[in-house]
Amino acid sequence: MFSKAKTADLLKKFAKVDINDIQDANLRAKAKGLKAKQGGFTLLELLVVVAILAAIAGTATIALQDTDARASAAAHVAMMDELNKGIRTFRVLNKNTLPSGFDSMIQDATGDFGATGGQYITVGAASEALSILDLPVGAAEIMNAGGIESLQYINTTLTPADSPVDCSNLEDVIASRANAVVAGNIFLAPAANGCGYTWNNVDSDDILDGYQLNGAPKVAVWTGGYERVMGEAGQGFDAAGYADDDRPALMAVGLGPSSNLFNANDLGGMTSVPVYRHVSETEYNRFIALFNIGTLNAAGDAITAGDQVTLTAIVDGAGDTKEEELGEWDGTRNTI
C-alpha cells in the first residue's frame, strides 16, 4: 500500500510531531505508543500515523481560519474608528456641516413600502436591525441644515430600455458577470454601473417634490438596540434602554462612494471607501453610520424632528458595533 519512499516520508514527518499538539486523547495515547516503538511499523500502525498527521493538519487549518477572521475583525475596528473620526473631522473643517450623499439602504420597488417592501434586504445581517419610516419635513430640514442635503436610493424599475443594466432583480444584476455592477456600488447612478438615484432636499420648500417614495421620503431607522450603540443606560432610560416617548430616531445610512465624505478634493474628504468583507458577493458591503435625527413615538412608527443631526455610531455590514468586533479580535466572541 505504501512504497518505501512514502513510508520513510511519513515516518520522518511523524518523528517531528509534538505529541502534546494532538487534541484527541485516544490518538495522543496511540502516538505515544508509536513514538516508543522500536523497529518497523505494521500497515495498521502506518494508517494510525496517517490519521494522526491528518488530525494535526486539520487543527492547524482551523487555527489559521480563526487567525484570518481575527485579523479581519481588527481591520474592521480600525475602519470604524477612521470613519467615525473622518465624519467628525469633516464637520469641523466644513463649519459644522456634515457630509452628504449617503446610501439610504432603501430600494424603491413599486412605490409600495408596506410590510413586505422598501428594505434593501441584501445588506446582510444588518437588515434585521433596520426598519423603514417616513421622513417628516421637520427632520429633513434639520438634515439639510446639518449638511445632509441628499440621499441615494435604488430604483428597481430600471430596465435595459432606459438603463445600462436591468435593476429589477438586484441579486441577479450584482451576481452577473455581464456587467460591472457590484454590491458596494449599487446605489450609484446607472451611468456609474449602479441602480441608484439621488433624492435631494437642498430647497426645503421642495422637500417632497422630485423623487417621491410613496408620497414622502423614507429613511432606514436602527432597531438593533440603543445600549449597544449609545453606551450604558442612564437617566431617562428604562429597562429596555429608553422611555417609550424618548427613544432616539437613529437614521441608518450606508457609507458608500456617492458621499462627498470620500471626495479627496473636498476639505476633510477621505481618500478611500472602506469595504466590509464578511458578506456574500450579492450583499451590501459598506459600513453603516447611525445619525440621531430626533425621537420616535411610543409605537416606534413615526419620527419627531430634533434640534440638530448628530453622529451616534458606526456599525459594520452585519450590524455589529465596534465593541462586538473587538470581541472577535480578542477571541471573546466567536469568529467562525
Side-chain angles (χ1 to χ4, degrees), residues 263-296:
N263 186 347
N265 294 320
D266 284 356
L267 186 64
M270 300 177 69
T271 57
S272 61
V273 189
V275 175
Y276 177 72
R277 301 191 181 280
H278 284 180
V279 292
S280 73
E281 66 172 3
T282 60
E283 292 180 321
Y284 186 71
N285 60 358
R286 303 297 183 185
F287 288 82
I288 299 169
L290 304 181
F291 288 96
N292 190 336
I293 61 172
T295 57
L296 297 174

Side-chain angles (χ1 to χ4, degrees), residues 118-198:
Q119 178 112 2
Y120 177 39
I121 59 173
T122 53
V123 296
S127 62
E128 299 173 4
L130 301 178
S131 63
I132 293 176
L133 298 179
D134 290 330
L135 179 66
V137 171
E141 287 176 337
I142 68 160
M143 285 167 54
N144 179 56
I148 304 178
E149 299 175 339
S150 65
L151 294 175
Q152 294 295 118
Y153 290 81
I154 290 174
N155 186 354
T156 55
T157 65
L158 294 175
T159 66
D162 51 13
S163 169
V165 294
D166 184 351
C167 297
S168 59
N169 188 311
L170 294 179
E171 290 195 9
D172 285 352
V173 75
I174 292 171
S176 173
R177 295 296 183 268
N179 60 63
V181 178
V182 294
N185 295 349
I186 194 69
F187 285 93
L188 291 174
N193 297 312
C195 291
Y197 66 87
T198 302

Side-chain angles (χ1 to χ4, degrees), residues 26-248:
N26 290 332
L27 280 178
R28 189 164 58 248
K30 290 179 180 179
K32 287 181 179 179
L34 290 172
K35 282 274 191 178
K37 181 179 175 66
Q38 299 295 322
F41 287 93
T42 66
L43 178 58
L44 180 59
E45 288 171 336
L46 284 175
L47 292 174
V48 171
V49 168
V50 172
I52 291 170
L53 294 174
I56 293 174
T59 301
T61 299
I62 293 173
L64 287 173
Q65 288 176 344
D66 188 60
T67 299
D68 180 65
R70 291 187 183 185
S72 295
H76 294 155
V77 168
M79 291 175 188
M80 292 160 85
D81 277 340
E82 285 300 309
L83 288 167
N84 194 315
K85 182 170 65 176
I87 292 173
R88 296 180 189 279
T89 300
F90 186 101
R91 187 169 198 170
V92 170
L93 294 177
N94 289 275
K95 300 180 180 179
N96 205 32
T97 299
L98 286 163
S100 190
F102 298 119
D103 297 340
S104 68
M105 313 305 293
I106 296 174
Q107 61 185 11
D108 179 9
T110 60
D112 177 13
F113 287 87
T116 61
Q119 178 112 2
Y120 177 39
I121 59 173
T122 53
V123 296
S127 62
E128 299 173 4
L130 301 178
S131 63
I132 293 176
L133 298 179
D134 290 330
L135 179 66
V137 171
E141 287 176 337
I142 68 160
M143 285 167 54
N144 179 56
I148 304 178
E149 299 175 339
S150 65
L151 294 175
Q152 294 295 118
Y153 290 81
I154 290 174
N155 186 354
T156 55
T157 65
L158 294 175
T159 66
D162 51 13
S163 169
V165 294
D166 184 351
C167 297
S168 59
N169 188 311
L170 294 179
E171 290 195 9
D172 285 352
V173 75
I174 292 171
S176 173
R177 295 296 183 268
N179 60 63
V181 178
V182 294
N185 295 349
I186 194 69
F187 285 93
L188 291 174
N193 297 312
C195 291
Y197 66 87
T198 302
W199 172 76
N200 192 298
N201 66 323
V202 173
D203 184 350
S204 60
D205 293 330
D206 297 323
I207 285 174
L208 303 184
D209 292 344
Y211 290 108
Q212 296 188 24
L213 306 182
N214 197 24
K218 304 281 183 175
V219 289
V221 176
W222 174 261
T223 58
Y226 294 112
E227 195 167 343
R228 291 176 59 203
V229 295
M230 302 186 75
E232 295 184 3
Q235 186 176 3
F237 289 78
D238 62 9
Y242 271 96
D244 283 345
D245 60 350
D246 192 32
R247 291 176 296 165

